Amino acid sequence: MEYVFFNLKRKIGFSLSCIFFGVVCAWMMLKPFSFYSGVAPSDYFISLVGVMGFLFFFGGYVLSLFKFLFKKTALIITDEGFYDFTNVASAGFIDWGQVKSIGQRQDQSMTMISIQLHAPSDFIEATRDPIAKFFMRLNYKGSGTPVLLPMQLLHIYVDDLESLLAKRFEAYKARTASS
């Protein structure tokens, strides 16, 4: 059994950035005239952007508290599969039998490990957490897989994690082929 942990400095930085942007957006809601410019000449528009931004960043902060700050372990990798606690759309336990392939994915400046599944729609529907299910559907529509492991908050390099997962996956395939 192997463990991959969150990077504490990055978790704290993520939470502080959510708080900072939440405060700026709250300021936009309460004092929109402070942000008056030629681009956004309406107080109503500035307040609306402030409300939407506040809800987004406050929601991100609350989710980060529950999903990231109170958990130290991001991944638990076993011979049977792995437990994913890396993000809001955490998949929980993924059996190696469900996995089709493992690879890296670059999305703008964000690097992720992409886990392709044999039956992604069934996997999404079997998920009980409605928030995770919502984000898994978004991942599936955008990238073709519901399981993406973002590397920003993890305390491991992307190549090392990919080879660790691939090694365990290949060992599983070798065990099932011989039986």
Side-chain angles (χ1 to χ4, degrees):
M1 189 175 305
E2 298 176 64
Y3 298 94
V4 176
F5 297 100
F6 285 111
N7 185 323
L8 182 61
K9 290 178 187 176
R10 291 180 188 168
K11 286 194 313 185
I12 291 170
F14 178 77
S15 294
L16 290 176
S17 66
C18 283
I19 291 171
F20 172 76
F21 283 108
V23 168
V24 169
C25 290
W27 187 12
M28 288 174 74
M29 286 187 310
L30 300 174
K31 305 228 183 233
F33 54 87
S34 302
F35 293 89
Y36 186 80
S37 71
V39 176
S42 166
D43 286 351
Y44 175 75
F45 177 76
I46 294 170
S47 293
L48 182 64
V49 169
V51 168
M52 291 180 354
F54 180 79
L55 292 175
F56 178 77
F57 287 108
F58 183 73
Y61 177 70
V62 170
L63 287 173
S64 74
L65 277 177
F66 290 112
K67 290 283 186 171
F68 302 136
L69 292 180
F70 297 134
K71 291 188 185 224
K72 292 183 184 260
T73 307
L75 286 169
I76 302 171
I77 305 166
T78 68
D79 290 336
E80 294 80 35
F82 64 94
Y83 294 88
D84 169 27
F85 307 111
T86 58
N87 59 37
V88 176
S90 294
F93 182 72
I94 300 172
D95 189 285
W96 290 124
Q98 297 173 307
V99 176
K100 187 179 354 179
S101 66
I102 299 169
Q104 289 186 28
R105 178 180 177 84
Q106 187 74 26
D107 201 12
Q108 294 156 9
S109 65
M110 194 157 87
T111 304
M112 298 175 270
I113 299 290
S114 173
I115 310 292
Q116 298 292 326
L117 303 176
H118 289 292
S121 298
D122 295 340
F123 185 80
I124 294 169
E125 293 309 314
T127 303
R128 295 179 190 217
D129 182 3
I131 295 171
K133 188 179 281 194
F134 172 76
F135 284 106
M136 281 185 194
R137 284 187 183 130
L138 287 178
N139 285 345
Y140 186 50
K141 287 178 185 173
S143 64
T145 182
V147 183
L148 294 171
L149 308 176
M151 299 302 299
Q152 283 73 17
L153 299 179
L154 302 184
H155 197 68
I156 190 171
Y157 292 111
V158 66
D159 294 328
D160 295 341
L161 180 57
E162 182 184 24
S163 67
L164 180 64
L165 289 169
K167 180 180 79 174
R168 288 291 183 124
F169 181 50
E170 293 302 321
Y172 169 81
K173 289 194 308 189
R175 273 195 323 273
T176 57
S178 65
S179 24

